Amino acid sequence: MSKEPVIRFPEGFRWGVAASAYQIEGGYDEDGRGLSIWDTFCRQPGKVERGETGDVAADHYHRWREDVQIMADLGLQVYRFSIAWPRILPEGTGRVNPPGLDFYDHLVDALLEKGITPLPTLYHWDLPQALQDKGGWGNRDTAHYFAEYARIVGERLSDRVQNWITHNEPFVAAVAGHFTGEHAPGLQDPFLTFRAGHHLLLSHGYAVEALRATAKQTLQIGIALNLSPVHPASESEADQQAARRYDGVLNRLFLDPILCAKYPEDIVELLGPVMPQVEPDDMRHIAVPLDFVGVNYYSRTVIRYDPDFPLIQASEIKPEGREYSQMWEIYPPGIYELLTRVWKDYRPASIFVTENGVCVPDGVDFDGRVRDYRRIRYLRDHLVQVHRAIAEGVPVHGYLVWSLLDNFEWAFGYRMRFGLTYVDFETQKRIIKESGYWFARVIRENGFNPDMAI
Ligand code: GCO
Protein backbone atom coordinates (compact mmCIF):
# COMPACT_ATOMS: atom_id res chain seq x y z
CA MET A 1 0.00 0.00 0.00
CA SER A 2 1.10 3.61 -0.59
CA LYS A 3 2.58 5.49 2.34
CA GLU A 4 -0.33 7.88 2.88
CA PRO A 5 -3.84 6.37 3.22
CA VAL A 6 -6.12 8.00 0.68
CA ILE A 7 -9.15 7.15 2.83
CA ARG A 8 -8.69 8.26 6.41
CA PHE A 9 -11.31 7.77 9.11
CA PRO A 10 -12.11 10.40 11.77
CA GLU A 11 -9.81 10.64 14.79
CA GLY A 12 -11.14 8.35 17.52
CA PHE A 13 -12.88 6.00 15.10
CA ARG A 14 -12.93 2.58 16.79
CA TRP A 15 -11.70 -0.59 15.09
CA GLY A 16 -12.30 -4.16 16.27
CA VAL A 17 -13.83 -7.57 15.81
CA ALA A 18 -16.99 -9.37 16.88
CA ALA A 19 -17.57 -12.94 18.05
CA SER A 20 -20.05 -14.90 20.14
CA ALA A 21 -19.82 -17.37 23.00
CA TYR A 22 -21.46 -20.41 21.45
CA GLN A 23 -19.55 -20.00 18.20
CA ILE A 24 -16.03 -19.93 19.66
CA GLU A 25 -15.91 -20.97 23.34
CA GLY A 26 -16.53 -24.71 23.49
CA GLY A 27 -16.22 -25.98 27.07
CA TYR A 28 -19.96 -26.58 26.80
CA ASP A 29 -20.14 -28.68 29.97
CA GLU A 30 -17.27 -27.23 31.96
CA ASP A 31 -17.13 -25.41 35.28
CA GLY A 32 -20.84 -25.56 35.95
CA ARG A 33 -22.11 -24.24 32.61
CA GLY A 34 -25.74 -25.19 32.04
CA LEU A 35 -27.07 -26.41 28.70
CA SER A 36 -28.24 -23.88 26.13
CA ILE A 37 -30.88 -24.33 23.44
CA TRP A 38 -28.04 -24.65 20.90
CA ASP A 39 -26.53 -27.60 22.78
CA THR A 40 -29.94 -29.25 22.51
CA PHE A 41 -30.58 -28.17 18.91
CA CYS A 42 -27.21 -29.47 17.64
CA ARG A 43 -28.05 -32.90 19.01
CA GLN A 44 -31.24 -33.12 16.98
CA PRO A 45 -30.49 -35.13 13.79
CA GLY A 46 -30.33 -33.07 10.61
CA LYS A 47 -30.31 -29.63 12.23
CA VAL A 48 -26.60 -28.84 11.80
CA GLU A 49 -24.46 -29.95 8.86
CA ARG A 50 -22.43 -33.10 9.56
CA GLY A 51 -24.02 -33.20 13.02
CA GLU A 52 -21.46 -30.64 14.20
CA THR A 53 -21.86 -28.89 17.55
CA GLY A 54 -20.34 -26.07 19.58
CA ASP A 55 -19.10 -28.54 22.21
CA VAL A 56 -15.47 -27.59 21.44
CA ALA A 57 -15.79 -24.91 18.72
CA ALA A 58 -12.53 -22.89 18.62
CA ASP A 59 -11.79 -23.88 22.23
CA HIS A 60 -11.70 -20.22 23.21
CA TYR A 61 -12.77 -21.20 26.72
CA HIS A 62 -9.27 -22.65 27.19
CA ARG A 63 -7.31 -20.58 24.61
CA TRP A 64 -8.66 -17.13 25.41
CA ARG A 65 -5.23 -15.83 26.54
CA GLU A 66 -3.74 -16.80 23.16
CA ASP A 67 -6.69 -15.19 21.38
CA VAL A 68 -6.36 -11.97 23.36
CA GLN A 69 -2.70 -11.91 22.33
CA ILE A 70 -3.74 -12.23 18.66
CA MET A 71 -6.08 -9.26 19.18
CA ALA A 72 -3.20 -7.29 20.68
CA ASP A 73 -0.85 -8.30 17.85
CA LEU A 74 -3.42 -7.02 15.34
CA GLY A 75 -3.78 -3.77 17.28
CA LEU A 76 -7.52 -4.24 17.78
CA GLN A 77 -9.13 -1.50 19.85
CA VAL A 78 -12.49 -3.18 20.59
CA TYR A 79 -13.43 -6.81 21.16
CA ARG A 80 -17.14 -7.55 20.93
CA PHE A 81 -17.81 -10.92 22.52
CA SER A 82 -20.92 -12.42 24.03
CA ILE A 83 -21.47 -13.67 27.55
CA ALA A 84 -23.02 -17.13 27.77
CA TRP A 85 -26.10 -16.82 29.97
CA PRO A 86 -25.90 -20.58 30.84
CA ARG A 87 -22.40 -20.05 32.29
CA ILE A 88 -23.70 -17.34 34.63
CA LEU A 89 -27.09 -18.86 35.54
CA PRO A 90 -27.10 -22.57 34.60
CA GLU A 91 -30.88 -22.77 35.13
CA GLY A 92 -31.37 -19.34 33.58
CA THR A 93 -32.50 -17.83 36.86
CA GLY A 94 -31.78 -18.21 40.57
CA ARG A 95 -28.47 -19.97 41.26
CA VAL A 96 -25.39 -18.09 40.05
CA ASN A 97 -22.37 -20.10 38.87
CA PRO A 98 -19.21 -18.34 40.17
CA PRO A 99 -16.73 -19.95 37.70
CA GLY A 100 -18.88 -18.57 34.87
CA LEU A 101 -18.57 -15.02 36.15
CA ASP A 102 -14.86 -15.59 36.84
CA PHE A 103 -14.22 -16.54 33.19
CA TYR A 104 -15.54 -13.23 31.86
CA ASP A 105 -13.92 -11.32 34.71
CA HIS A 106 -10.51 -12.68 33.73
CA LEU A 107 -11.20 -12.07 30.02
CA VAL A 108 -12.13 -8.43 30.70
CA ASP A 109 -9.00 -7.87 32.78
CA ALA A 110 -6.81 -9.40 30.07
CA LEU A 111 -8.41 -7.19 27.39
CA LEU A 112 -7.99 -4.05 29.47
CA GLU A 113 -4.38 -4.96 30.18
CA LYS A 114 -3.78 -4.99 26.40
CA GLY A 115 -5.63 -1.70 25.92
CA ILE A 116 -8.57 -3.41 24.21
CA THR A 117 -12.08 -2.17 25.04
CA PRO A 118 -14.44 -5.03 26.00
CA LEU A 119 -17.88 -4.81 24.35
CA PRO A 120 -19.99 -7.68 25.73
CA THR A 121 -23.25 -8.76 24.15
CA LEU A 122 -25.55 -10.19 26.81
CA TYR A 123 -27.47 -12.46 24.46
CA HIS A 124 -26.20 -14.07 21.26
CA TRP A 125 -28.84 -16.80 20.93
CA ASP A 126 -27.72 -19.27 23.63
CA LEU A 127 -30.79 -19.25 25.88
CA PRO A 128 -30.47 -21.58 28.90
CA GLN A 129 -32.34 -24.77 28.04
CA ALA A 130 -34.02 -24.67 31.45
CA LEU A 131 -35.80 -21.47 30.38
CA GLN A 132 -36.79 -22.97 27.05
CA ASP A 133 -38.38 -25.74 29.07
CA LYS A 134 -40.55 -22.99 30.63
CA GLY A 135 -41.58 -21.56 27.24
CA GLY A 136 -38.42 -19.71 26.28
CA TRP A 137 -38.92 -16.37 24.54
CA GLY A 138 -42.57 -17.24 24.10
CA ASN A 139 -42.90 -16.81 27.87
CA ARG A 140 -43.05 -13.19 29.01
CA ASP A 141 -41.26 -14.17 32.24
CA THR A 142 -38.08 -14.74 30.21
CA ALA A 143 -37.84 -10.97 29.74
CA HIS A 144 -37.65 -10.60 33.51
CA TYR A 145 -35.13 -13.46 33.83
CA PHE A 146 -32.99 -11.63 31.24
CA ALA A 147 -33.05 -8.46 33.35
CA GLU A 148 -31.98 -10.51 36.40
CA TYR A 149 -29.07 -11.93 34.37
CA ALA A 150 -28.11 -8.43 33.15
CA ARG A 151 -28.10 -7.11 36.70
CA ILE A 152 -25.84 -9.94 37.95
CA VAL A 153 -23.34 -9.48 35.12
CA GLY A 154 -23.49 -5.69 35.40
CA GLU A 155 -22.78 -5.82 39.13
CA ARG A 156 -19.66 -7.92 38.49
CA LEU A 157 -18.24 -6.16 35.41
CA SER A 158 -19.59 -2.62 35.09
CA ASP A 159 -16.76 -1.16 37.17
CA ARG A 160 -14.47 -2.02 34.21
CA VAL A 161 -16.91 -2.49 31.32
CA GLN A 162 -18.50 0.72 30.12
CA ASN A 163 -19.91 -0.38 26.76
CA TRP A 164 -22.67 -2.97 26.47
CA ILE A 165 -24.92 -4.59 23.88
CA THR A 166 -28.09 -6.24 25.12
CA HIS A 167 -29.12 -8.44 22.19
CA ASN A 168 -27.66 -9.71 18.95
CA GLU A 169 -30.18 -9.76 16.11
CA PRO A 170 -33.51 -10.32 17.86
CA PHE A 171 -35.04 -10.74 14.38
CA VAL A 172 -32.95 -13.85 13.76
CA ALA A 173 -33.53 -15.22 17.27
CA ALA A 174 -37.29 -14.83 16.75
CA VAL A 175 -37.72 -15.79 13.07
CA ALA A 176 -35.01 -18.42 12.53
CA GLY A 177 -35.75 -19.90 15.95
CA HIS A 178 -39.54 -19.88 15.89
CA PHE A 179 -40.79 -19.41 12.27
CA THR A 180 -38.39 -21.17 9.89
CA GLY A 181 -36.96 -23.46 12.58
CA GLU A 182 -33.47 -23.19 11.07
CA HIS A 183 -32.03 -22.08 14.41
CA ALA A 184 -32.56 -23.17 18.01
CA PRO A 185 -35.06 -23.93 19.45
CA GLY A 186 -36.16 -25.09 15.97
CA LEU A 187 -39.86 -24.21 16.21
CA GLN A 188 -42.28 -23.27 13.41
CA ASP A 189 -45.17 -21.26 14.82
CA PRO A 190 -46.07 -17.79 13.43
CA PHE A 191 -47.94 -16.78 16.59
CA LEU A 192 -44.99 -17.79 18.76
CA THR A 193 -42.53 -16.03 16.43
CA PHE A 194 -43.86 -12.53 16.96
CA ARG A 195 -44.61 -13.14 20.63
CA ALA A 196 -40.96 -14.19 21.05
CA GLY A 197 -39.88 -11.12 19.09
CA HIS A 198 -41.87 -8.86 21.38
CA HIS A 199 -40.46 -10.48 24.53
CA LEU A 200 -36.92 -10.21 23.13
CA LEU A 201 -37.51 -6.47 22.63
CA LEU A 202 -39.10 -6.15 26.07
CA SER A 203 -36.14 -7.96 27.64
CA HIS A 204 -33.83 -5.50 25.87
CA GLY A 205 -35.56 -2.60 27.60
CA TYR A 206 -35.58 -4.31 30.98
CA ALA A 207 -31.87 -5.16 30.63
CA VAL A 208 -30.91 -1.58 29.79
CA GLU A 209 -32.77 -0.41 32.89
CA ALA A 210 -31.14 -3.14 35.03
CA LEU A 211 -27.63 -2.32 33.77
CA ARG A 212 -28.11 1.37 34.41
CA ALA A 213 -29.55 0.74 37.88
CA THR A 214 -26.52 -1.28 38.98
CA ALA A 215 -23.82 0.54 37.01
CA LYS A 216 -20.68 1.62 38.80
CA GLN A 217 -20.05 4.22 36.08
CA THR A 218 -21.87 5.90 33.19
CA LEU A 219 -22.54 3.18 30.64
CA GLN A 220 -22.85 3.29 26.86
CA ILE A 221 -25.54 0.76 25.91
CA GLY A 222 -26.84 -0.36 22.54
CA ILE A 223 -28.32 -3.26 20.61
CA ALA A 224 -27.00 -5.06 17.50
CA LEU A 225 -29.57 -5.46 14.71
CA ASN A 226 -29.27 -7.44 11.47
CA LEU A 227 -30.44 -4.89 8.95
CA SER A 228 -30.41 -4.93 5.18
CA PRO A 229 -31.55 -2.62 2.38
CA VAL A 230 -34.46 -4.36 0.63
CA HIS A 231 -34.67 -3.99 -3.16
CA PRO A 232 -37.61 -5.10 -5.37
CA ALA A 233 -36.69 -7.77 -7.93
CA SER A 234 -38.33 -5.59 -10.62
CA GLU A 235 -40.09 -2.25 -11.01
CA SER A 236 -43.47 -4.01 -10.94
CA GLU A 237 -45.94 -2.73 -8.34
CA ALA A 238 -46.27 -6.26 -6.94
CA ASP A 239 -42.53 -6.61 -6.35
CA GLN A 240 -42.24 -3.10 -4.91
CA GLN A 241 -45.07 -3.74 -2.45
CA ALA A 242 -43.55 -7.10 -1.50
CA ALA A 243 -40.21 -5.38 -0.85
CA ARG A 244 -41.95 -2.82 1.36
CA ARG A 245 -43.61 -5.58 3.39
CA TYR A 246 -40.31 -7.45 3.76
CA ASP A 247 -38.52 -4.25 4.81
CA GLY A 248 -41.23 -3.81 7.42
CA VAL A 249 -40.70 -7.23 8.97
CA LEU A 250 -36.91 -7.33 8.63
CA ASN A 251 -35.98 -3.75 9.53
CA ARG A 252 -38.87 -1.60 10.80
CA LEU A 253 -40.44 -4.20 13.12
CA PHE A 254 -37.35 -3.81 15.34
CA LEU A 255 -36.08 -0.31 14.58
CA ASP A 256 -39.45 1.38 15.14
CA PRO A 257 -40.20 -0.05 18.63
CA ILE A 258 -36.63 0.49 19.87
CA LEU A 259 -36.17 4.00 18.48
CA CYS A 260 -39.76 5.28 18.07
CA ALA A 261 -41.69 3.37 20.78
CA LYS A 262 -44.19 1.98 18.28
CA TYR A 263 -44.68 -0.92 15.90
CA PRO A 264 -44.96 0.04 12.21
CA GLU A 265 -48.67 0.39 11.44
CA ASP A 266 -48.50 -1.32 8.03
CA ILE A 267 -46.90 -4.39 9.58
CA VAL A 268 -49.31 -4.46 12.53
CA GLU A 269 -52.12 -4.50 9.96
CA LEU A 270 -50.32 -7.08 7.80
CA LEU A 271 -49.65 -9.48 10.68
CA GLY A 272 -53.11 -8.99 12.17
CA PRO A 273 -53.87 -11.76 14.73
CA VAL A 274 -50.22 -12.89 14.62
CA MET A 275 -49.10 -9.63 16.26
CA PRO A 276 -48.31 -10.22 19.95
CA GLN A 277 -50.15 -8.92 22.98
CA VAL A 278 -48.64 -5.54 23.90
CA GLU A 279 -49.13 -4.46 27.52
CA PRO A 280 -49.60 -0.72 28.30
CA ASP A 281 -46.05 -0.02 29.48
CA ASP A 282 -44.22 -2.33 27.07
CA MET A 283 -43.30 0.23 24.42
CA ARG A 284 -41.97 2.65 27.04
CA HIS A 285 -39.56 -0.04 28.27
CA ILE A 286 -38.60 -1.19 24.76
CA ALA A 287 -37.81 2.37 23.67
CA VAL A 288 -35.58 3.11 26.64
CA PRO A 289 -32.98 5.68 25.49
CA LEU A 290 -29.87 4.11 23.94
CA ASP A 291 -26.37 5.43 23.41
CA PHE A 292 -25.79 3.71 20.06
CA VAL A 293 -27.36 1.43 17.50
CA GLY A 294 -25.31 -1.54 16.31
CA VAL A 295 -25.73 -2.44 12.64
CA ASN A 296 -24.82 -5.94 11.46
CA TYR A 297 -24.51 -5.75 7.67
CA TYR A 298 -23.63 -8.55 5.27
CA SER A 299 -25.60 -7.99 2.08
CA ARG A 300 -28.69 -6.46 0.52
CA THR A 301 -31.97 -8.38 0.18
CA VAL A 302 -33.73 -8.66 -3.20
CA ILE A 303 -37.45 -9.46 -2.93
CA ARG A 304 -40.11 -10.60 -5.37
CA TYR A 305 -43.85 -10.89 -4.92
CA ASP A 306 -44.65 -14.48 -3.91
CA PRO A 307 -48.37 -15.20 -3.38
CA ASP A 308 -47.53 -18.55 -1.80
CA PHE A 309 -45.35 -17.17 0.98
CA PRO A 310 -47.31 -17.03 4.24
CA LEU A 311 -48.15 -13.73 5.91
CA ILE A 312 -46.00 -11.42 3.75
CA GLN A 313 -46.28 -12.86 0.18
CA ALA A 314 -42.64 -12.00 -0.41
CA SER A 315 -39.62 -14.17 -1.18
CA GLU A 316 -35.93 -13.48 -1.50
CA ILE A 317 -34.20 -14.08 -4.83
CA LYS A 318 -30.53 -14.23 -5.82
CA PRO A 319 -30.01 -11.92 -8.83
CA GLU A 320 -27.92 -13.44 -11.61
CA GLY A 321 -24.64 -11.98 -12.77
CA ARG A 322 -23.58 -10.82 -9.30
CA GLU A 323 -20.62 -11.91 -7.15
CA TYR A 324 -21.54 -14.17 -4.23
CA SER A 325 -19.78 -15.45 -1.16
CA GLN A 326 -20.68 -18.88 0.15
CA MET A 327 -23.76 -17.34 1.75
CA TRP A 328 -24.73 -13.98 0.25
CA GLU A 329 -24.40 -11.55 -2.64
CA ILE A 330 -21.41 -9.24 -2.21
CA TYR A 331 -22.98 -5.77 -2.38
CA PRO A 332 -20.85 -3.04 -0.78
CA PRO A 333 -23.13 -0.06 -1.59
CA GLY A 334 -25.72 -1.72 0.66
CA ILE A 335 -23.86 -0.72 3.81
CA TYR A 336 -23.87 2.91 2.66
CA GLU A 337 -27.58 2.73 1.85
CA LEU A 338 -28.31 1.17 5.22
CA LEU A 339 -26.25 3.57 7.33
CA THR A 340 -27.69 6.64 5.61
CA ARG A 341 -31.23 5.22 5.93
CA VAL A 342 -30.91 4.47 9.64
CA TRP A 343 -29.52 7.97 10.19
CA LYS A 344 -32.16 9.69 8.03
CA ASP A 345 -35.14 7.78 9.43
CA TYR A 346 -34.16 7.38 13.09
CA ARG A 347 -31.41 9.89 13.96
CA PRO A 348 -29.65 7.67 16.56
CA ALA A 349 -27.00 9.41 18.67
CA SER A 350 -24.34 7.05 17.39
CA ILE A 351 -24.02 4.07 15.06
CA PHE A 352 -21.52 1.23 15.22
CA VAL A 353 -21.02 -1.32 12.49
CA THR A 354 -21.12 -4.23 14.94
CA GLU A 355 -20.65 -6.91 12.29
CA ASN A 356 -19.42 -6.96 8.70
CA GLY A 357 -17.56 -9.84 7.11
CA VAL A 358 -17.60 -12.58 4.53
CA CYS A 359 -17.25 -16.33 4.27
CA VAL A 360 -15.10 -17.49 1.37
CA PRO A 361 -13.25 -20.81 1.03
CA ASP A 362 -9.96 -20.24 2.86
CA GLY A 363 -7.04 -22.62 2.65
CA VAL A 364 -3.53 -22.81 4.03
CA ASP A 365 -0.91 -22.48 1.27
CA PHE A 366 2.25 -24.63 1.16
CA ASP A 367 4.14 -21.88 3.00
CA GLY A 368 1.61 -21.79 5.85
CA ARG A 369 -0.03 -18.52 4.79
CA VAL A 370 -3.76 -17.98 4.14
CA ARG A 371 -4.08 -15.66 1.15
CA ASP A 372 -7.70 -14.61 1.61
CA TYR A 373 -7.58 -11.72 -0.87
CA ARG A 374 -11.35 -11.92 -1.54
CA ARG A 375 -11.94 -11.10 2.12
CA ILE A 376 -9.55 -8.11 1.90
CA ARG A 377 -11.44 -6.87 -1.17
CA TYR A 378 -14.78 -7.34 0.65
CA LEU A 379 -13.60 -5.40 3.74
CA ARG A 380 -11.93 -2.68 1.65
CA ASP A 381 -14.98 -2.15 -0.55
CA HIS A 382 -17.36 -2.01 2.40
CA LEU A 383 -15.11 0.37 4.32
CA VAL A 384 -15.08 2.70 1.30
CA GLN A 385 -18.88 2.81 1.62
CA VAL A 386 -18.78 3.31 5.39
CA HIS A 387 -16.41 6.21 4.87
CA ARG A 388 -18.80 7.62 2.23
CA ALA A 389 -21.63 7.61 4.79
CA ILE A 390 -19.44 9.28 7.42
CA ALA A 391 -18.44 11.95 4.90
CA GLU A 392 -22.16 12.70 4.47
CA GLY A 393 -22.59 13.23 8.20
CA VAL A 394 -23.73 9.82 9.41
CA PRO A 395 -22.36 9.37 12.97
CA VAL A 396 -20.65 6.02 12.49
CA HIS A 397 -18.13 5.69 15.32
CA GLY A 398 -16.74 2.21 14.88
CA TYR A 399 -16.40 -0.86 12.68
CA LEU A 400 -16.12 -4.46 13.86
CA VAL A 401 -15.19 -7.30 11.54
CA TRP A 402 -17.07 -10.55 11.88
CA SER A 403 -14.96 -12.33 13.06
CA LEU A 404 -11.65 -12.76 14.86
CA LEU A 405 -11.55 -16.54 14.42
CA ASP A 406 -13.10 -19.05 12.06
CA ASN A 407 -15.95 -20.43 14.14
CA PHE A 408 -19.21 -22.41 14.38
CA GLU A 409 -21.53 -20.90 11.79
CA TRP A 410 -24.78 -22.19 13.28
CA ALA A 411 -26.64 -24.64 10.99
CA PHE A 412 -23.66 -24.62 8.58
CA GLY A 413 -21.37 -25.96 11.28
CA TYR A 414 -17.69 -25.22 10.55
CA ARG A 415 -17.98 -25.12 6.76
CA MET A 416 -18.20 -21.32 6.62
CA ARG A 417 -15.01 -19.48 7.54
CA PHE A 418 -15.41 -15.77 8.49
CA GLY A 419 -12.26 -15.27 10.53
CA LEU A 420 -9.35 -12.89 10.15
CA THR A 421 -7.61 -15.84 11.78
CA TYR A 422 -7.69 -19.35 10.31
CA VAL A 423 -8.51 -22.12 12.79
CA ASP A 424 -7.48 -25.71 12.15
CA PHE A 425 -10.27 -27.38 14.12
CA GLU A 426 -8.33 -30.65 14.31
CA THR A 427 -5.41 -29.06 16.17
CA GLN A 428 -6.93 -25.70 17.20
CA LYS A 429 -3.87 -24.03 15.64
CA ARG A 430 -4.47 -20.38 14.78
CA ILE A 431 -2.99 -18.76 11.62
CA ILE A 432 -3.51 -15.04 11.08
CA LYS A 433 -4.79 -14.64 7.50
CA GLU A 434 -3.57 -11.98 5.04
CA SER A 435 -6.83 -10.13 5.81
CA GLY A 436 -5.82 -9.97 9.48
CA TYR A 437 -2.50 -8.34 8.59
CA TRP A 438 -4.29 -5.98 6.18
CA PHE A 439 -6.83 -4.97 8.82
CA ALA A 440 -4.03 -4.41 11.36
CA ARG A 441 -2.47 -1.89 8.98
CA VAL A 442 -5.82 -0.16 8.40
CA ILE A 443 -6.08 0.25 12.17
CA ARG A 444 -2.52 1.58 12.47
CA GLU A 445 -3.11 4.11 9.70
CA ASN A 446 -6.78 4.70 10.52
CA GLY A 447 -7.40 4.35 6.82
CA PHE A 448 -6.12 2.81 3.59
CA ASN A 449 -5.58 3.34 -0.09
CA PRO A 450 -8.62 1.89 -1.90
CA ASP A 451 -6.64 1.66 -5.13
CA MET A 452 -4.12 -0.67 -3.58
CA ALA A 453 -3.43 -3.76 -5.62
CA ILE A 454 -4.76 -6.95 -4.02
C1 GCO B 1 -25.22 -13.04 12.58
C2 GCO B 1 -24.61 -13.46 13.80
C3 GCO B 1 -23.31 -14.21 13.68
C4 GCO B 1 -23.08 -14.95 12.37
C5 GCO B 1 -22.47 -14.03 11.32
C6 GCO B 1 -22.27 -14.75 10.01
O1 GCO B 1 -25.09 -11.86 12.25
O2 GCO B 1 -25.89 -13.87 11.98
O3 GCO B 1 -24.37 -12.35 14.63
O4 GCO B 1 -23.46 -15.13 14.73
O5 GCO B 1 -22.18 -16.00 12.58
O6 GCO B 1 -23.31 -12.97 11.08
O7 GCO B 1 -23.50 -15.27 9.57
Side-chain angles (χ1 to χ4, degrees):
M1 282 196 282
S2 72
K3 286 281 175 277
E4 188 55 30
V6 172
I7 283 192
R8 184 180 289 283
F9 282 74
E11 280 309 304
F13 189 78
R14 309 287 281 154
W15 300 95
V17 294
S20 86
Y22 191 77
Q23 294 179 271
I24 64 170
E25 286 183 0
Y28 86 103
D29 61 353
E30 293 197 31
D31 298 333
R33 176 182 179 278
L35 289 180
S36 76
I37 56 176
W38 269 94
D39 298 303
T40 305
F41 188 69
C42 288
R43 283 161 174 75
Q44 295 171 22
K47 298 299 185 184
V48 178
E49 287 185 11
R50 297 167 301 283
E52 292 172 342
T53 76
D55 290 1
V56 177
D59 199 28
H60 179 71
Y61 187 68
H62 300 105
R63 299 169 186 268
W64 59 273
R65 292 178 184 84
E66 175 187 357
D67 294 336
V68 169
Q69 187 55 53
I70 291 173
M71 296 177 217
D73 293 346
L74 294 179
L76 300 180
Q77 299 164 352
V78 179
Y79 175 46
R80 179 188 168 218
F81 58 97
S82 81
I83 294 173
W85 189 346
R87 287 200 193 283
I88 310 302
L89 291 149
E91 292 78 41
T93 180
R95 177 178 67 89
V96 175
N97 176 45
L101 278 171
D102 292 345
F103 172 71
Y104 296 105
D105 199 296
H106 298 149
L107 176 63
V108 162
D109 284 346
L111 290 168
L112 293 172
E113 190 185 317
K114 298 288 186 184
I116 300 168
T117 299
L119 174 57
T121 303
L122 287 172
Y123 187 71
H124 203 124
W125 307 351
D126 46 357
L127 184 73
Q129 181 60 45
L131 295 184
Q132 186 61 40
D133 296 343
K134 298 178 181 176
W137 289 110
N139 178 356
R140 191 180 171 91
D141 291 345
T142 304
H144 296 288
Y145 298 141
F146 187 65
E148 172 194 1
Y149 157 58
R151 178 181 53 75
I152 290 164
V153 171
E155 281 173 346
R156 179 64 175 268
L157 299 176
S158 67
D159 60 319
R160 287 155 289 158
V161 176
Q162 184 174 27
N163 305 281
W164 296 79
I165 288 173
T166 55
H167 274 288
N168 179 74
E169 304 190 352
F171 170 92
V172 175
V175 174
H178 303 82
F179 185 76
T180 66
E182 294 165 323
H183 281 191
L187 303 174
Q188 295 182 305
D189 174 342
F191 290 87
L192 178 56
T193 299
F194 295 98
R195 195 161 74 243
H198 183 67
H199 295 155
L200 280 155
L201 288 173
L202 190 59
S203 75
H204 155 74
Y206 289 166
V208 173
E209 292 157 359
L211 282 172
R212 294 218 165 103
T214 58
K216 298 182 174 71
Q217 60 175 315
T218 304
L219 303 182
Q220 304 293 315
I221 307 174
I223 187 170
L225 301 173
N226 59 294
L227 303 171
S228 176
V230 180
H231 296 166
S234 77
E235 293 308 309
S236 73
E237 186 61 23
D239 283 351
Q240 292 190 59
Q241 288 303 326
R244 173 89 180 138
R245 292 192 296 273
Y246 197 92
D247 173 74
V249 175
L250 173 64
N251 297 316
R252 294 182 284 120
L253 195 60
F254 291 86
L255 283 165
D256 285 17
I258 293 167
L259 298 173
C260 306
K262 65 177 180 57
Y263 278 116
E265 288 172 15
D266 60 326
I267 301 307
V268 171
E269 188 179 337
L270 176 72
L271 296 180
V274 168
M275 272 304 286
Q277 174 71 25
V278 179
E279 301 300 336
D281 264 352
D282 287 359
M283 301 317 284
R284 178 176 63 80
H285 289 294
I286 292 171
V288 64
L290 291 181
D291 301 288
F292 65 90
V293 172
V295 172
N296 292 356
Y297 174 82
Y298 289 92
S299 185
R300 66 169 176 171
T301 306
V302 182
I303 291 296
R304 71 173 176 82
Y305 170 61
D306 177 359
D308 301 325
F309 196 94
L311 287 177
I312 59 173
Q313 287 78 49
S315 284
E316 189 172 353
I317 67 160
K318 290 187 178 296
E320 293 183 6
R322 307 288 305 179
E323 183 185 0
Y324 287 84
S325 72
Q326 289 171 288
M327 290 175 78
W328 299 299
E329 180 188 358
I330 295 178
Y331 189 79
I335 199 169
Y336 165 79
E337 288 174 42
L338 185 61
L339 293 171
T340 49
R341 185 259 180 106
V342 170
W343 173 236
K344 181 172 71 71
D345 291 356
Y346 299 95
R347 283 285 192 268
S350 172
I351 300 173
F352 259 73
V353 176
T354 35
E355 287 180 28
N356 181 236
V358 68
C359 53
V360 287
D362 293 332
V364 183
D365 289 346
F366 69 94
D367 58 356
R369 290 172 58 185
V370 180
R371 294 177 170 82
D372 59 331
Y373 299 135
R374 283 188 73 195
R375 178 168 294 105
I376 295 175
R377 276 201 298 277
Y378 177 98
L379 298 178
R380 176 199 64 187
D381 295 348
H382 283 78
L383 281 169
V384 165
Q385 298 295 328
V386 172
H387 187 265
R388 187 179 159 206
I390 293 171
E392 293 181 9
V394 181
V396 184
H397 294 127
Y399 174 89
L400 309 180
V401 174
W402 182 273
S403 184
L404 174 72
L405 305 171
D406 292 337
N407 60 55
F408 177 79
E409 180 50 36
W410 309 113
F412 293 105
Y414 296 93
R415 178 161 65 93
M416 305 300 185
R417 292 179 177 271
F418 278 90
L420 296 175
T421 309
Y422 184 91
V423 176
D424 176 336
F425 292 104
E426 297 297 319
T427 65
Q428 292 296 349
K429 179 181 177 187
R430 275 85 161 128
I431 304 172
I432 296 175
K433 302 176 189 175
E434 295 306 301
S435 61
Y437 294 114
W438 178 83
F439 192 56
R441 184 159 182 186
V442 170
I443 297 171
R444 284 197 303 275
E445 300 182 356
N446 197 31
F448 58 94
N449 178 347
D451 302 326
M452 55 177 275
I454 295 178

